[in-house]
Amino acid sequence: MLISIIFPVYNEKDNLNELYERVTEVVDAIKDYRFELIFVDDCSQDESSDILKDLHLKDKRVKVFRFARNSGSHAAVACGLHHCQGDAVSVLAADLQDPPSIMTKLIEEWQKGVNLVWAVRLEREGERASTNFFSKVYYAIMNRFTNVKMPPKGADVFLADRAVIDAFKKVPEKNSSLFMTLAWLGFKQSSVGYVKEARHQGESKWTLTKKIKLAVDSLLSFSDIPIRYMSIVGFFIAILGFLYALVVFGAFLMGTPVEGWASLMVVILVIGGVQMMMLGVLGEYLWRTYDESRRRPMYVLEYVLENNTITEAVSR
Ligand code: UDP
Ligand code: MG
């Protein structure tokens, strides 16, 4: 049986050789399976692509898919899932934050007969407090407001078998979270724990803007609350408006009519603000519908390195 491991790579020149050493040490010790190492180079601007070419020449298990433009780690993992040949597939970050030794644990758990095994973070080393906080809030919101249950502390690593991979290939959605899509597919899932280590070298590429985009994508993709609650909010504002009208009318009957300017401004600003927010929510949905309907590919491949041959410019 063959197991594929996907590595999303973006400017990781100082980590790749160390990663290769540590991964091969682990997989060489697992005798019952063959391995395929898929490096998806997300259009790195440093020497990562040269290092990957060398690794490919040295080891025929190494395959390289290079993107023509930077498309983010979820697109890179999706590319690996679309092209892997293994009976099962796993993902490890190229910065060595996920220790390659968890492969052994994941495989053991998979052999018990589950389709999808999550590696759940028990602890995170060397991470900023803000990152940990953001991550907690993200998983709490997703578990509360969407119909997909994720491990509450979050998972960046998983092992999925062929059934899950084939089901995933049928999901064409782009503006979504890959991990939540996998969890949403169903199948038998379970988890094992691990300690997420500090980055080996270099900096994290997840900016605050990217994190916010992922959070909004995940919420809109798997929850109908934002769009359905718009009408409820509208309904309550209408009731408030009606009650306020009674107050104004009552004051008029009592001989103390409500003065104009201040009260009018408050009402206009509040209602205007709420309307703008609603338009924003609609806009988010509309933009996503438009983006999906354009049917641009999730990623564009510049070349593929496989079995000592290079195939150029193939897109999915
Ligand atoms: N990555 C990628 N494309 C990007 C950003 C990151 O393929 O645009 C890769 C990166 O090389 C690493 C993994 O995705 O292997 C996780 O990225 P990073 O370490 O920056 O994120 P964090 O660990 O902070 O979540
Ligand atoms: Mg990282």
Side-chain angles (χ1 to χ4, degrees), residues 24 85 159 170:
T24 43
Q85 282 166 359
L159 183 138
K170 298 203 180 97

Side-chain angles (χ1 to χ4, degrees), residues 15-64:
N15 294 323
L16 288 174
N17 284 316
E18 170 84 15
L19 172 73
Y20 175 76
E21 295 303 325
R22 283 184 50 188
V23 168
T24 43
E25 199 178 303
V26 172
V27 300
D28 289 345
I30 304 174
K31 297 285 175 223
D32 303 340
Y33 296 96
R34 289 180 301 117
F35 284 86
E36 171 189 54
L37 308 176
I38 300 182
F39 290 84
V40 184
D41 177 359
D42 190 6
C43 201
S44 298
Q45 300 302 312
D46 64 359
E47 293 92 74
S48 296
S49 52
D50 299 327
I51 301 173
L52 290 177
K53 277 182 187 161
D54 290 344
L55 289 179
H56 167 74
L57 290 177
K58 186 161 96 176
D59 186 338
K60 67 176 183 354
R61 290 173 295 183
V62 172
K63 296 180 178 173
V64 182

Side-chain angles (χ1 to χ4, degrees), residues 74 172-178 181 213-222 284-285 287-294 298:
H74 283 217
E173 203 176 345
K174 269 180 294 167
N175 296 291
S176 180
S177 148
L178 180 125
T181 305
K213 160 104 173 57
L214 177 69
V216 176
D217 279 348
S218 311
L219 193 64
L220 297 194
S221 227
F222 293 100
E284 292 287 340
Y285 280 97
W287 178 83
R288 278 172 179 75
T289 316
Y290 170 55
D291 192 58
E292 298 290 344
S293 70
R294 286 193 292 210
M298 189 191 269

Side-chain angles (χ1 to χ4, degrees), residues 181-249:
T181 305
L182 288 173
W184 172 85
L185 288 173
F187 293 101
K188 272 189 224 129
Q189 307 187 12
S190 73
S191 56
V192 295
Y194 80 107
V195 176
K196 190 165 174 108
E197 294 176 10
R199 220 172 199 284
H200 182 60
Q201 292 288 319
E203 291 272 299
S204 165
K205 284 103 195 172
W206 277 90
T207 56
L208 185 64
T209 329
K210 281 191 191 170
K211 286 181 184 170
I212 292 175
K213 160 104 173 57
L214 177 69
V216 176
D217 279 348
S218 311
L219 193 64
L220 297 194
S221 227
F222 293 100
S223 164
D224 50 7
I225 287 179
I227 199 154
R228 290 190 48 205
Y229 275 52
M230 283 174 66
S231 45
I232 296 180
V233 171
F235 176 72
F236 279 109
I237 297 223
I239 290 190
L240 284 179
F242 179 70
L243 292 177
Y244 188 59
L246 286 182
V247 171
V248 172
F249 189 61

